[in-house]
Amino acid sequence: MNVYKANKTLPLEPVTSQWMHDLFAQSDLMHQLLDKYDSPINILNITSFKTNIKAYKNLFKNYHIDGQIYFARKANKTATLINSALQENIGIDTASYNELNQAIERGGKGKSLVLTSAIKTPNQLKLALAHEVPVILDNQDEFNLYNKIASSAGKTAHIGVRISGFRVNGQKLYSRFGIDIDSIKDFINDNFINNEKFPNLRIYGLHFHLNGYSTIERSQALLQTIEIAKYLRANSFPIKFIDIGGGITMNYLKDETQLEAFKTELQSQVMHIEKEELTFRRNGLGYKNIDGKLSGTLETYPYFNKIHTETFIKKILDFQNNGETIAQSLNKNNLQLRIEPGRSLLQQVGITVARVNYRKKDSEGRNLIGLEMNMSQLKSASTDFLLDPYIIYRNPIKNNTEWKKVYFTGAYCLEQDIILKKVSEIPQIPEIGDIVVFVNTAGYLMHFYERQAHLFNLSNNLTLDTMETECLEISDFKLD
Ligand SMILES: *Cc1c(COP(=O)(O)O)cnc(C)c1O
């Protein structure tokens, strides 16, 4: 076997799946795929996606909760995921005309879809109206626009209202989205109860999506939203659901202590210039040395999460208020709970595979490994992707070699096209054509920021729909 995970020292060992290791072991096949589809390729295992859907469904079943899942489409562009989600009887959260249109074309209907775009153009709203897709409205201008469109069409539109500005521990949660919780009742009174300003809009539900990954904030927001739902029902609104959006964490790393050890070393590098470089050109990844004092925080995704996916939702549902859990309160009030997971439904779904193009040293002596890919193809809002990559050598590596510190660089004509900022330590400098694999990249990393600067081709997405991956053929992979 010529497959090595990077980083013997200061490892950040990723959680992986057997299907990934089976693929690594079939390196001839990996080379064939790269030859056929060009570098980089993204490989998505649809069976993993379906497993993740089932886990959320089982959780709702165990709680006897009316729970509905809407896959947040924006987290990955692969269209096959839409078909699989619909086959598994879950919905799709769409946020643009094209996302909505594609979901409709692939069989999504009415309540199996939702439109939550941050900017809702007349075209999007007309399409949603024509297909009876619920729309989550954000502000008075959107209410005006949608009412006008529905009125011209002689229809009543199905809507939910996005709320924000929840108070948690005395602090108001900032958001640029939604109608502030402190003014939602006035808004409803002015526009629906005391006046009938929007006769063509019918409110069936309430929605929020919080920034960050706190379960307590979500529980508190949900409690406050249940109160608004009760107020609306008391005023004859047919409220059916509360949608708590996404932001459900997933876990990428095997061992929390490894992340802690890395943080400690990173802080130490920021404070002590004499220490050996741990990140490209000593990037602090959020930590700063200000006049000899450490400040800032690690500005990456929280790659280790003890509470994640189903346990994250469990935490929210088990939250107690006045002797009642949120799950009990939802049931008592006969409210449907909707979630819009993007990232967490893509747990263990994808890998990104690239070919080595060159090896060189930069002007300060660092080993650079040029990959046939670019920084936009492994990028999220996180300042770095802190998972050890895998190297697949074509030829056996030489014995007793000393591991080498390298950085992977990409095709942009920018100094900062460094694919991982954390240094990677690998057993041997790869040969041209060897393969580097980044695992668990399906949630945002492969697509959300992918660009066509330099007129690069977009990466190809290949799907695989099996867990029997020991002996695969090129025809088992479908180009999306
Ligand atoms: C981004 C987004 C989601 C998905 O968030 P994840 O963190 O991927 O689960 C869901 N709903 C809305 C409204 C969003 O903006």
Side-chain angles (χ1 to χ4, degrees):
M1 273 284 273
N2 296 317
V3 182
Y4 290 84
K5 185 187 75 62
N7 303 329
K8 271 201 299 197
T9 51
L10 274 189
L12 290 169
E13 218 175 315
V15 177
T16 53
S17 298
Q18 188 56 42
W19 70 265
M20 299 173 183
H21 294 283
D22 286 348
L23 271 182
F24 301 168
Q26 296 163 75
S27 59
D28 285 348
L29 178 68
M30 303 276 271
H31 283 287
Q32 283 169 28
L33 289 170
L34 285 169
D35 289 344
K36 180 161 180 191
Y37 296 107
D38 230 344
S39 175
I41 45 175
N42 296 310
I43 300 176
L44 292 100
N45 195 323
I46 301 298
T47 311
S48 271
F49 180 63
K50 293 178 187 165
T51 305
N52 297 337
I53 292 173
K54 289 193 181 91
Y56 280 130
K57 279 189 175 172
N58 283 336
L59 176 81
F60 289 139
K61 209 154 115 197
N62 292 340
Y63 273 84
H64 305 290
I65 271 196
D66 179 9
Q68 289 290 329
I69 306 158
Y70 290 79
F71 169 51
R73 172 69 171 84
K74 70 167 190 258
N76 194 289
K77 285 197 298 194
T78 307
T80 307
L81 295 169
I82 302 305
N83 296 64
S84 309
L86 293 171
Q87 274 161 23
E88 295 294 311
N89 275 313
I90 67 162
I92 316 286
D93 165 21
T94 64
S96 70
Y97 182 89
N98 289 339
E99 284 188 5
L100 177 61
N101 194 38
Q102 186 190 49
I104 291 168
E105 281 174 357
R106 286 173 182 254
K109 288 194 186 68
K111 277 185 269 180
S112 68
L113 305 177
V114 63
L115 181 72
T116 60
S117 338
I119 297 285
K120 298 181 188 77
T121 56
N123 272 352
Q124 287 174 41
L125 292 170
K126 283 177 192 160
L127 185 63
L129 184 69
H131 292 268
E132 295 174 12
V133 173
V135 176
I136 304 299
L137 294 180
D138 175 272
N139 58 70
Q140 179 119 24
D141 283 343
E142 284 190 356
F143 277 81
N144 284 331
L145 175 63
Y146 201 21
N147 188 67
K148 207 163 99 193
I149 288 170
S151 164
S152 314
K155 286 189 174 175
T156 305
H158 187 129
I159 65 157
V161 184
R162 184 156 176 173
I163 314 177
S164 66
F166 301 98
R167 222 169 277 277
V168 177
N169 298 329
Q171 297 271 333
K172 211 166 157 59
L173 301 181
Y174 171 78
S175 180
R176 75 178 180 92
F177 296 103
I179 296 178
D180 196 276
I181 182 112
D182 296 332
S183 54
I184 184 73
K185 283 187 185 170
D186 288 345
F187 178 82
I188 298 288
N189 292 343
D190 290 350
N191 294 297
F192 286 88
I193 298 176
N194 301 331
N195 303 291
E196 212 186 331
K197 286 207 193 136
F198 304 124
N200 294 77
L201 303 181
R202 186 144 306 150
I203 305 175
Y204 285 97
L206 299 167
H207 176 281
F208 62 80
H209 170 75
L210 304 185
N211 203 18
Y213 305 104
S214 161
T215 62
I216 292 180
E217 287 177 4
R218 283 172 174 78
S219 297
Q220 297 280 7
L222 187 44
L223 284 172
Q224 291 165 49
T225 307
I226 291 172
E227 288 311 308
I228 303 295
K230 285 194 209 163
Y231 175 81
L232 286 170
R233 279 209 182 138
N235 286 284
S236 307
F237 290 81
I239 302 299
K240 299 255 184 295
F241 69 85
I242 296 180
D243 186 334
I244 62 169
I248 302 160
T249 48
M250 73 183 243
N251 182 43
Y252 289 87
L253 294 176
K254 278 192 180 155
D255 185 348
E256 185 170 24
T257 58
Q258 293 181 346
L259 185 59
E260 289 308 315
F262 169 68
K263 270 193 208 172
T264 306
E265 273 307 302
L266 182 61
Q267 291 169 350
S268 171
Q269 170 194 271
V270 168
M271 299 309 294
H272 304 286
I273 192 74
E274 70 282 4
K275 291 212 70 153
E276 202 185 339
E277 181 181 287
L278 176 60
T279 53
F280 186 70
R281 308 201 77 196
R282 303 185 165 270
N283 189 317
L285 305 181
Y287 291 118
K288 292 180 197 76
N289 179 343
I290 296 179
D291 300 331
K293 276 183 83 173
L294 181 73
S295 73
T297 50
L298 183 62
E299 289 169 359
T300 65
Y301 182 81
Y303 290 105
F304 182 86
N305 289 295
K306 219 177 274 165
I307 304 291
H308 60 89
T309 51
E310 303 101 88
T311 53
F312 188 94
I313 300 291
K314 242 169 114 35
K315 267 261 192 246
I316 296 172
L317 291 174
D318 290 342
F319 188 87
Q320 295 245 357
N321 181 55
N322 293 332
E324 188 176 72
T325 65
I326 286 195
Q328 287 164 337
S329 177
L330 288 168
N331 276 335
K332 192 174 85 187
N333 289 296
N334 202 15
L335 281 164
Q336 181 179 75
L337 179 71
R338 297 186 179 177
I339 58 173
E340 294 169 348
R343 186 192 294 269
S344 63
L345 277 180
L346 296 166
Q347 161 163 277
Q348 297 296 313
V349 170
I351 60 174
T352 298
V353 182
R355 200 158 39 197
V356 171
N357 178 272
Y358 67 70
R359 299 81 38 89
K360 67 177 285 193
K361 285 191 189 287
D362 73 3
S363 62
E364 292 175 340
R366 293 178 193 83
N367 292 313
L368 302 183
I369 309 296
L371 298 183
E372 288 179 19
M373 67 181 285
N374 66 70
M375 61 194 282
S376 80
Q377 294 168 322
L378 188 83
K379 189 169 169 54
S380 70
S382 173
T383 51
D384 199 17
F385 185 59
L386 294 181
L387 275 65
D388 295 339
Y390 287 79
I391 322 297
I392 305 174
Y393 296 93
R394 204 188 271 266
N395 297 311
I397 66 164
K398 296 179 189 79
N399 281 333
N400 297 324
T401 46
E402 219 177 278
W403 285 47
K404 299 278 189 301
K405 293 191 171 176
V406 305
Y407 294 96
F408 301 104
T409 62
Y412 272 17
C413 60
L414 292 175
E415 293 292 359
Q416 57 275 43
D417 193 347
I418 302 296
I419 311 258
L420 301 178
K421 296 188 183 89
K422 177 178 183 280
V423 73
S424 297
E425 206 183 1
I426 61 175
Q428 181 178 294
I429 298 293
E431 291 172 32
I432 291 164
D434 282 348
I435 293 173
V436 178
V437 183
F438 305 96
V439 298
N440 218 350
T441 55
Y444 296 100
L445 286 142
M446 49 179 71
H447 294 151
F448 198 71
Y449 287 91
E450 191 183 14
R451 304 274 162 74
Q452 290 188 292
H454 295 275
L455 301 185
F456 291 133
N457 288 330
L458 293 174
S459 51
N460 279 319
N461 303 303
L462 306 177
T463 61
L464 186 65
D465 193 358
T466 176
M467 282 297 160
E468 281 168 32
T469 45
E470 265 172 48
C471 191
L472 292 165
E473 289 179 20
I474 201 154
S475 58
D476 293 320
F477 298 83
K478 305 271 179 290
L479 181 63
D480 187 72

